[in-house]
Amino acid sequence: MFKVKISGIGKTVGSRVVTSTELEKVMDVKPGWIEKATGIKSRNYVDFENGETALTLGVSAAKKAVEDAGITLDKIDCIIGANGSPLQAIPCAAALYQQELGLGDSGVPSFDIDTTCYSFGVALFLASGLVDSGVYKNILIISADAPSPTLDITDNEVRALFGDGAGAVVLTKTSEDEPSRVHHFKMNTYGSGASFTEVRGGGTLKHPNHPETTPLDNVFHMEGKKIFKYAVRYLPSYFESFFVDSGINQKELKFILPHQTSKHGIDIFRKFGFASEQIASHLSIHGNCIAASIPMLLHDYIKNGEIKRGDQILLFGTSAGLSLGGLALTY
């Protein structure tokens, strides 16, 4: 258990609202297909041509989180980038965030944690240990993803799902009279499913000078049905061990906040003992924003008053790897 709290949270989305009706016309698919298949009515895209990117979204969300925490940027003593997709191959996103936040000469340690879609959950857990032990006082975690500029040559399943957004939090120590805690973390990885979600290019395996490297190697590929079947296979034992090991009563959780994968990916939690009212979602208006999904969802439920101090919640996600991750905390 770590005695830490989320003291500030921020969210920013792409400035372009794209409805499923609009997207269906571009994709040349039957009207109503996207919402029926995914549960998504609209999503936000960055205005890439006017300089809006995952970097600008992340910086905006970070500034909102710092302001929400009631501190100034000079009080941040560590920055963690927790994107689901890299801003560029090198350097890490956190260094780019640091520079754009005006801290480029500060020396504040900045590094990334990457488990694709569940990067935020892992970053929050690892940062909790650093804050609880006194290594850092105010850690800024930023998750931002803007896949929309790359989606026009992907298949319809992928193109229909994704949106652009960013979420950020400031993590600080909990005072003695506050209930906020991080309770339990569990992550399982099944590498036999690694090929189900890939961007093969951008590294040394499919490097630019490799004779077999093609432009498609730099595009996101996902086999959604295979991922779903894998998750369904492993989730029962995962949740069983999670609640036994943590000692947490599943029925006492206020919410499970899942990575916003798809309608089917969210509805599946009912089969694993979660009541409908426990399952948080804003999928219909944001789609799947990769690693930013969980902090964006957390932001919305905190700001609309559905999650209050003292509420026990579970941040859960699946990610490329293939991995399952869960973090239980008292907000």
Side-chain angles (χ1 to χ4, degrees), residues 219-254:
V219 175
F220 179 76
H221 297 270
M222 183 178 72
E223 297 184 66
K225 291 181 180 179
K226 288 186 178 180
I227 296 169
F228 187 78
K229 288 180 179 179
Y230 245 61
V232 171
R233 181 194 306 176
Y234 292 114
L235 277 172
S237 60
Y238 174 91
F239 280 126
E240 181 180 2
S241 62
F242 186 95
F243 289 114
V244 169
D245 294 345
S246 67
I248 293 170
N249 185 331
Q250 182 177 356
K251 295 186 183 302
E252 292 180 358
L253 286 174
K254 182 67 178 293

Short mmCIF file of all heavy atoms in Angstrom, two decimals, residues 219-254:
data_model
loop_
_atom_site.label_atom_id
_atom_site.label_comp_id
_atom_site.label_asym_id
_atom_site.label_seq_id
_atom_site.Cartn_x
_atom_site.Cartn_y
_atom_site.Cartn_z
N VAL A 219 2.37 1.53 -39.81
CA VAL A 219 0.95 1.75 -39.55
C VAL A 219 0.48 0.74 -38.50
O VAL A 219 0.94 -0.39 -38.44
CB VAL A 219 0.13 1.59 -40.85
CG1 VAL A 219 -1.35 1.70 -40.56
CG2 VAL A 219 0.54 2.66 -41.85
N PHE A 220 -0.45 1.19 -37.67
CA PHE A 220 -1.00 0.35 -36.60
C PHE A 220 -1.81 -0.81 -37.18
O PHE A 220 -2.65 -0.63 -38.05
CB PHE A 220 -1.90 1.22 -35.71
CG PHE A 220 -2.54 0.49 -34.57
CD1 PHE A 220 -1.82 0.16 -33.43
CD2 PHE A 220 -3.89 0.16 -34.62
CE1 PHE A 220 -2.43 -0.50 -32.37
CE2 PHE A 220 -4.50 -0.50 -33.57
CZ PHE A 220 -3.77 -0.82 -32.44
N HIS A 221 -1.52 -2.01 -36.67
CA HIS A 221 -2.26 -3.21 -37.06
C HIS A 221 -2.85 -3.85 -35.80
O HIS A 221 -2.18 -3.97 -34.78
CB HIS A 221 -1.32 -4.23 -37.73
CG HIS A 221 -0.71 -3.74 -39.01
ND1 HIS A 221 -1.28 -3.91 -40.23
CD2 HIS A 221 0.43 -3.05 -39.23
CE1 HIS A 221 -0.52 -3.37 -41.17
NE2 HIS A 221 0.52 -2.84 -40.58
N MET A 222 -4.09 -4.27 -35.87
CA MET A 222 -4.75 -4.88 -34.72
C MET A 222 -5.70 -5.97 -35.19
O MET A 222 -6.45 -5.79 -36.15
CB MET A 222 -5.54 -3.83 -33.93
CG MET A 222 -6.20 -4.39 -32.67
SD MET A 222 -7.09 -3.12 -31.71
CE MET A 222 -8.50 -2.82 -32.78
N GLU A 223 -5.62 -7.10 -34.49
CA GLU A 223 -6.56 -8.19 -34.73
C GLU A 223 -7.49 -8.26 -33.52
O GLU A 223 -7.26 -9.00 -32.56
CB GLU A 223 -5.80 -9.51 -34.92
CG GLU A 223 -4.88 -9.51 -36.14
CD GLU A 223 -4.21 -10.84 -36.36
OE1 GLU A 223 -4.92 -11.81 -36.67
OE2 GLU A 223 -2.97 -10.90 -36.21
N GLY A 224 -8.55 -7.45 -33.59
CA GLY A 224 -9.43 -7.26 -32.45
C GLY A 224 -10.10 -8.52 -31.95
O GLY A 224 -10.21 -8.74 -30.74
N LYS A 225 -10.53 -9.38 -32.86
CA LYS A 225 -11.22 -10.60 -32.45
C LYS A 225 -10.29 -11.53 -31.67
O LYS A 225 -10.70 -12.16 -30.69
CB LYS A 225 -11.80 -11.31 -33.66
CG LYS A 225 -12.96 -10.56 -34.31
CD LYS A 225 -13.53 -11.32 -35.50
CE LYS A 225 -14.68 -10.55 -36.14
NZ LYS A 225 -15.23 -11.26 -37.33
N LYS A 226 -9.04 -11.62 -32.10
CA LYS A 226 -8.07 -12.47 -31.39
C LYS A 226 -7.77 -11.90 -30.00
O LYS A 226 -7.64 -12.65 -29.03
CB LYS A 226 -6.79 -12.60 -32.21
CG LYS A 226 -6.93 -13.47 -33.45
CD LYS A 226 -5.59 -13.67 -34.12
CE LYS A 226 -5.71 -14.58 -35.34
NZ LYS A 226 -4.41 -14.79 -36.02
N ILE A 227 -7.65 -10.58 -29.90
CA ILE A 227 -7.40 -9.95 -28.61
C ILE A 227 -8.56 -10.23 -27.66
O ILE A 227 -8.36 -10.57 -26.49
CB ILE A 227 -7.21 -8.42 -28.77
CG1 ILE A 227 -5.96 -8.12 -29.60
CG2 ILE A 227 -7.10 -7.74 -27.41
CD1 ILE A 227 -5.85 -6.67 -30.02
N PHE A 228 -9.77 -10.08 -28.17
CA PHE A 228 -10.96 -10.31 -27.34
C PHE A 228 -11.00 -11.74 -26.83
O PHE A 228 -11.26 -11.98 -25.64
CB PHE A 228 -12.21 -9.98 -28.16
CG PHE A 228 -13.48 -10.02 -27.36
CD1 PHE A 228 -13.83 -8.96 -26.54
CD2 PHE A 228 -14.34 -11.11 -27.43
CE1 PHE A 228 -15.01 -8.99 -25.80
CE2 PHE A 228 -15.51 -11.15 -26.70
CZ PHE A 228 -15.84 -10.08 -25.88
N LYS A 229 -10.73 -12.71 -27.70
CA LYS A 229 -10.74 -14.12 -27.29
C LYS A 229 -9.66 -14.40 -26.24
O LYS A 229 -9.90 -15.15 -25.29
CB LYS A 229 -10.54 -15.02 -28.51
CG LYS A 229 -11.73 -15.08 -29.45
CD LYS A 229 -11.46 -15.99 -30.64
CE LYS A 229 -12.67 -16.06 -31.56
NZ LYS A 229 -12.42 -16.92 -32.74
N TYR A 230 -8.49 -13.80 -26.40
CA TYR A 230 -7.41 -13.97 -25.42
C TYR A 230 -7.83 -13.41 -24.06
O TYR A 230 -7.63 -14.03 -23.02
CB TYR A 230 -6.15 -13.26 -25.91
CG TYR A 230 -5.00 -14.18 -26.21
CD1 TYR A 230 -5.12 -15.18 -27.18
CD2 TYR A 230 -3.78 -14.05 -25.54
CE1 TYR A 230 -4.06 -16.01 -27.46
CE2 TYR A 230 -2.72 -14.90 -25.82
CZ TYR A 230 -2.87 -15.87 -26.78
OH TYR A 230 -1.82 -16.71 -27.06
N ALA A 231 -8.40 -12.20 -24.09
CA ALA A 231 -8.80 -11.57 -22.85
C ALA A 231 -9.85 -12.40 -22.12
O ALA A 231 -9.77 -12.60 -20.91
CB ALA A 231 -9.33 -10.16 -23.13
N VAL A 232 -10.84 -12.87 -22.87
CA VAL A 232 -11.90 -13.68 -22.27
C VAL A 232 -11.32 -14.96 -21.67
O VAL A 232 -11.79 -15.44 -20.63
CB VAL A 232 -12.98 -14.00 -23.31
CG1 VAL A 232 -13.96 -15.03 -22.78
CG2 VAL A 232 -13.72 -12.73 -23.72
N ARG A 233 -10.29 -15.51 -22.27
CA ARG A 233 -9.67 -16.74 -21.76
C ARG A 233 -8.99 -16.50 -20.42
O ARG A 233 -9.08 -17.33 -19.50
CB ARG A 233 -8.63 -17.25 -22.77
CG ARG A 233 -7.95 -18.54 -22.31
CD ARG A 233 -6.71 -18.84 -23.14
NE ARG A 233 -6.98 -18.87 -24.57
CZ ARG A 233 -6.03 -19.05 -25.49
NH1 ARG A 233 -4.77 -19.19 -25.12
NH2 ARG A 233 -6.35 -19.06 -26.77
N TYR A 234 -8.30 -15.36 -20.28
CA TYR A 234 -7.47 -15.15 -19.10
C TYR A 234 -8.12 -14.29 -18.01
O TYR A 234 -7.68 -14.31 -16.86
CB TYR A 234 -6.15 -14.50 -19.50
CG TYR A 234 -5.25 -15.42 -20.29
CD1 TYR A 234 -4.95 -15.13 -21.63
CD2 TYR A 234 -4.71 -16.57 -19.73
CE1 TYR A 234 -4.12 -15.98 -22.36
CE2 TYR A 234 -3.89 -17.41 -20.45
CZ TYR A 234 -3.60 -17.12 -21.77
OH TYR A 234 -2.79 -17.95 -22.50
N LEU A 235 -9.15 -13.54 -18.34
CA LEU A 235 -9.73 -12.62 -17.36
C LEU A 235 -10.34 -13.30 -16.12
O LEU A 235 -10.19 -12.77 -15.01
CB LEU A 235 -10.77 -11.72 -18.03
CG LEU A 235 -10.20 -10.50 -18.75
CD1 LEU A 235 -11.30 -9.79 -19.53
CD2 LEU A 235 -9.55 -9.55 -17.76
N PRO A 236 -11.02 -14.44 -16.25
CA PRO A 236 -11.59 -15.04 -15.03
C PRO A 236 -10.55 -15.34 -13.96
O PRO A 236 -10.74 -15.00 -12.78
CB PRO A 236 -12.25 -16.32 -15.56
CG PRO A 236 -12.58 -16.02 -16.98
CD PRO A 236 -11.46 -15.16 -17.46
N SER A 237 -9.45 -15.97 -14.34
CA SER A 237 -8.41 -16.29 -13.36
C SER A 237 -7.69 -15.02 -12.90
O SER A 237 -7.27 -14.92 -11.73
CB SER A 237 -7.41 -17.28 -13.95
OG SER A 237 -6.77 -16.75 -15.10
N TYR A 238 -7.57 -14.04 -13.80
CA TYR A 238 -6.92 -12.78 -13.42
C TYR A 238 -7.70 -12.10 -12.29
O TYR A 238 -7.13 -11.73 -11.26
CB TYR A 238 -6.82 -11.84 -14.62
CG TYR A 238 -6.29 -10.48 -14.26
CD1 TYR A 238 -4.92 -10.20 -14.29
CD2 TYR A 238 -7.15 -9.46 -13.83
CE1 TYR A 238 -4.43 -8.97 -13.93
CE2 TYR A 238 -6.67 -8.22 -13.45
CZ TYR A 238 -5.31 -7.98 -13.51
OH TYR A 238 -4.82 -6.75 -13.14
N PHE A 239 -9.00 -11.91 -12.50
CA PHE A 239 -9.79 -11.22 -11.48
C PHE A 239 -9.90 -12.03 -10.20
O PHE A 239 -9.89 -11.46 -9.10
CB PHE A 239 -11.19 -10.91 -12.03
CG PHE A 239 -11.23 -9.70 -12.92
CD1 PHE A 239 -11.77 -9.78 -14.20
CD2 PHE A 239 -10.75 -8.48 -12.48
CE1 PHE A 239 -11.81 -8.67 -15.02
CE2 PHE A 239 -10.78 -7.36 -13.29
CZ PHE A 239 -11.32 -7.46 -14.57
N GLU A 240 -9.99 -13.33 -10.31
CA GLU A 240 -10.05 -14.16 -9.11
C GLU A 240 -8.83 -13.95 -8.23
O GLU A 240 -8.94 -13.71 -7.02
CB GLU A 240 -10.19 -15.64 -9.49
CG GLU A 240 -10.29 -16.56 -8.28
CD GLU A 240 -10.42 -18.02 -8.66
OE1 GLU A 240 -10.38 -18.33 -9.88
OE2 GLU A 240 -10.53 -18.86 -7.75
N SER A 241 -7.65 -14.02 -8.84
CA SER A 241 -6.42 -13.84 -8.06
C SER A 241 -6.25 -12.39 -7.60
O SER A 241 -5.74 -12.14 -6.50
CB SER A 241 -5.21 -14.28 -8.88
OG SER A 241 -5.06 -13.50 -10.04
N PHE A 242 -6.70 -11.43 -8.42
CA PHE A 242 -6.58 -10.02 -8.04
C PHE A 242 -7.32 -9.75 -6.73
O PHE A 242 -6.76 -9.15 -5.80
CB PHE A 242 -7.13 -9.11 -9.14
CG PHE A 242 -6.92 -7.64 -8.89
CD1 PHE A 242 -5.84 -6.98 -9.43
CD2 PHE A 242 -7.81 -6.92 -8.10
CE1 PHE A 242 -5.64 -5.62 -9.18
CE2 PHE A 242 -7.62 -5.57 -7.85
CZ PHE A 242 -6.53 -4.92 -8.40
N PHE A 243 -8.55 -10.20 -6.64
CA PHE A 243 -9.34 -9.89 -5.45
C PHE A 243 -8.95 -10.75 -4.25
O PHE A 243 -9.03 -10.29 -3.11
CB PHE A 243 -10.83 -10.01 -5.78
CG PHE A 243 -11.32 -8.91 -6.67
CD1 PHE A 243 -11.75 -9.18 -7.97
CD2 PHE A 243 -11.31 -7.60 -6.26
CE1 PHE A 243 -12.18 -8.17 -8.81
CE2 PHE A 243 -11.74 -6.56 -7.07
CZ PHE A 243 -12.17 -6.85 -8.36
N VAL A 244 -8.49 -11.96 -4.49
CA VAL A 244 -7.99 -12.79 -3.38
C VAL A 244 -6.72 -12.18 -2.81
O VAL A 244 -6.57 -12.02 -1.59
CB VAL A 244 -7.74 -14.24 -3.85
CG1 VAL A 244 -6.98 -15.01 -2.78
CG2 VAL A 244 -9.06 -14.94 -4.16
N ASP A 245 -5.77 -11.85 -3.68
CA ASP A 245 -4.49 -11.32 -3.22
C ASP A 245 -4.61 -9.94 -2.57
O ASP A 245 -3.87 -9.62 -1.64
CB ASP A 245 -3.51 -11.23 -4.40
CG ASP A 245 -3.13 -12.59 -4.96
OD1 ASP A 245 -3.38 -13.60 -4.28
OD2 ASP A 245 -2.60 -12.64 -6.09
N SER A 246 -5.53 -9.12 -3.07
CA SER A 246 -5.65 -7.75 -2.57
C SER A 246 -6.52 -7.68 -1.31
O SER A 246 -6.40 -6.72 -0.53
CB SER A 246 -6.25 -6.84 -3.64
OG SER A 246 -7.60 -7.20 -3.91
N GLY A 247 -7.40 -8.66 -1.13
CA GLY A 247 -8.34 -8.60 -0.02
C GLY A 247 -9.46 -7.60 -0.25
O GLY A 247 -10.22 -7.30 0.68
N ILE A 248 -9.57 -7.10 -1.47
CA ILE A 248 -10.61 -6.12 -1.80
C ILE A 248 -11.90 -6.84 -2.16
O ILE A 248 -11.89 -7.86 -2.86
CB ILE A 248 -10.14 -5.24 -2.98
CG1 ILE A 248 -8.97 -4.37 -2.54
CG2 ILE A 248 -11.29 -4.37 -3.51
CD1 ILE A 248 -8.29 -3.63 -3.69
N ASN A 249 -13.01 -6.32 -1.66
CA ASN A 249 -14.33 -6.86 -1.99
C ASN A 249 -14.78 -6.24 -3.31
O ASN A 249 -15.00 -5.02 -3.38
CB ASN A 249 -15.33 -6.55 -0.88
CG ASN A 249 -16.69 -7.19 -1.11
OD1 ASN A 249 -17.11 -7.42 -2.24
ND2 ASN A 249 -17.38 -7.49 -0.02
N GLN A 250 -14.91 -7.05 -4.32
CA GLN A 250 -15.27 -6.55 -5.65
C GLN A 250 -16.56 -5.74 -5.65
O GLN A 250 -16.67 -4.71 -6.32
CB GLN A 250 -15.39 -7.73 -6.62
CG GLN A 250 -15.72 -7.33 -8.05
CD GLN A 250 -15.75 -8.55 -8.97
OE1 GLN A 250 -15.46 -9.66 -8.54
NE2 GLN A 250 -16.11 -8.34 -10.22
N LYS A 251 -17.52 -6.17 -4.86
CA LYS A 251 -18.83 -5.50 -4.84
C LYS A 251 -18.78 -4.15 -4.14
O LYS A 251 -19.70 -3.33 -4.29
CB LYS A 251 -19.87 -6.41 -4.18
CG LYS A 251 -20.14 -7.70 -4.95
CD LYS A 251 -21.27 -8.50 -4.34
CE LYS A 251 -21.48 -9.81 -5.09
NZ LYS A 251 -21.78 -9.59 -6.51
N GLU A 252 -17.71 -3.90 -3.38
CA GLU A 252 -17.60 -2.62 -2.69
C GLU A 252 -16.88 -1.56 -3.51
O GLU A 252 -16.78 -0.39 -3.10
CB GLU A 252 -16.88 -2.81 -1.34
CG GLU A 252 -17.72 -3.61 -0.34
CD GLU A 252 -17.02 -3.81 0.99
OE1 GLU A 252 -15.86 -3.36 1.12
OE2 GLU A 252 -17.62 -4.41 1.89
N LEU A 253 -16.34 -1.95 -4.67
CA LEU A 253 -15.73 -0.97 -5.56
C LEU A 253 -16.79 0.00 -6.07
O LEU A 253 -17.87 -0.40 -6.50
CB LEU A 253 -15.08 -1.66 -6.76
CG LEU A 253 -13.77 -2.40 -6.54
CD1 LEU A 253 -13.38 -3.14 -7.82
CD2 LEU A 253 -12.65 -1.45 -6.14
N LYS A 254 -16.48 1.29 -6.04
CA LYS A 254 -17.43 2.26 -6.59
C LYS A 254 -17.48 2.12 -8.11
O LYS A 254 -18.56 2.09 -8.71
CB LYS A 254 -16.98 3.68 -6.21
CG LYS A 254 -17.94 4.77 -6.69
CD LYS A 254 -19.27 4.70 -5.99
CE LYS A 254 -20.22 5.82 -6.43
NZ LYS A 254 -19.74 7.16 -6.00
#
